[in-house]
Amino acid sequence: MKIAVNQQLRFDEGIAAARAMVRAGWIGEPTTMTFTVNIATDWSGWEWLVSTDRLEIVYHSIHYLDAIRSFLGDPVTVFCTGSRTAGQLPKGETRTMSTLVYPGDVRALVHVTHENRTGDHEAAFRIDGTEGAIKGTLGLLYDYPHGRPDTLLVNSRTVPTDGWLPYPVTTRWLPDAVAGPMGSLLAAIAEGGEPETAGADNLGTLALLDALYRSMETGESRRLRAGPEPVGEAR
């Protein structure tokens, strides 16, 4: 039986194009990946989320963390801190900072807050490498749920791009990226192999979430695995 998990952000057009550029070596070896999301989320539409003890990491940043795994693989050590904002409706954490440590000098960071009360929303990602960088935005989160197309720019010394070169993204995370996990599953059934977001692979994302929450609760870094593995071997 083939099992796929609906981790759609991997298939968002901007994220997928950035991953293809990384795999093609456009920015050399990746050294850093970051997600910075500063938005206002109205949680009242989901009553069960308002009362849950664990909120931001497991129901939102899980997508960014899974996307990072698709670029960099599994980290060795993680550290996470989370908090609430005065006057917020939800019971759980709405502001988190998650640091992922890989072998050598490779790092990833996810910094998210859902209590932006000034209207200057931001939802951006960036991948730096030894030969360039890629940066973009997640348009869906600027006017959720209506959204706008993503943006994507690449600066490469290997192509070369002669500065920042825009990639013409025309779709949004939702609903367009949902076709990705479904298509990957159908292809695995028809042609053999495993879907991109196979259940077994998603266990790595869940293990990462568990380690981040344990770090948040104890204030200590948490180790995920013992031995170093090659970084940049995208899944």
Side-chain angles (χ1 to χ4, degrees), residues 115-128:
E115 294 291 327
N116 182 320
R117 299 172 183 178
T118 54
D120 55 334
H121 298 169
E122 178 184 11
F125 64 92
R126 180 178 176 120
I127 309 103
D128 285 283

Side-chain angles (χ1 to χ4, degrees), residues 98-121:
S98 302
T99 301
L100 283 60
V101 179
Y102 290 84
D105 293 322
V106 180
R107 302 290 184 268
L109 173 70
V110 178
H111 181 194
V112 179
T113 178
H114 294 266
E115 294 291 327
N116 182 320
R117 299 172 183 178
T118 54
D120 55 334
H121 298 169

Side-chain angles (χ1 to χ4, degrees), residues 17-30 127-134 152-161 165-167:
R19 187 168 55 246
M21 294 173 188
V22 171
R23 287 177 174 175
W26 284 20
I27 63 168
E29 291 298 318
I127 309 103
D128 285 283
T130 56
E131 299 297 329
I134 303 166
L152 190 68
L153 297 163
V154 57
N155 189 319
S156 171
R157 291 188 291 273
T158 62
V159 174
T161 60
L165 178 68
Y167 176 91

Side-chain angles (χ1 to χ4, degrees), residues 3 18 22 51 54 57 72 92 95 153 162 165 198 207:
I3 299 175
V22 171
S51 60
R54 291 181 170 183
I57 294 287
L72 302 179
R95 180 175 54 203
L153 297 163
D162 189 24
L165 178 68

Side-chain angles (χ1 to χ4, degrees), residues 6-18:
N6 187 27
Q7 292 282 13
Q8 341 85 14
L9 186 57
R10 291 193 188 197
F11 297 91
D12 170 82
E13 185 180 358
I15 294 292

Side-chain angles (χ1 to χ4, degrees), residues 12-119:
D12 170 82
E13 185 180 358
I15 294 292
R19 187 168 55 246
M21 294 173 188
V22 171
R23 287 177 174 175
W26 284 20
I27 63 168
E29 291 298 318
T31 58
T32 308
M33 185 167 184
T34 60
F35 279 92
T36 305
V37 179
N38 192 336
I39 58 176
T41 301
D42 180 6
W43 301 100
S44 63
W46 304 278
E47 293 183 5
W48 56 280
L49 285 182
V50 173
S51 60
T52 186
D53 292 325
R54 291 181 170 183
L55 178 58
E56 204 289 313
I57 294 287
V58 70
Y59 292 111
H60 188 85
S61 279
I62 183 174
H63 295 292
Y64 312 133
L65 295 161
D66 181 76
I68 289 172
R69 289 188 62 246
S70 76
F71 280 83
L72 302 179
D74 294 313
V76 176
T77 306
V78 300
F79 178 79
C80 181
T81 181
S83 61
R84 305 173 77 256
T85 301
Q88 73 174 48
L89 176 64
K91 180 181 178 181
E93 81 283 357
T94 56
R95 180 175 54 203
T96 63
M97 301 178 191
S98 302
T99 301
L100 283 60
V101 179
Y102 290 84
D105 293 322
V106 180
R107 302 290 184 268
L109 173 70
V110 178
H111 181 194
V112 179
T113 178
H114 294 266
E115 294 291 327
N116 182 320
R117 299 172 183 178
T118 54

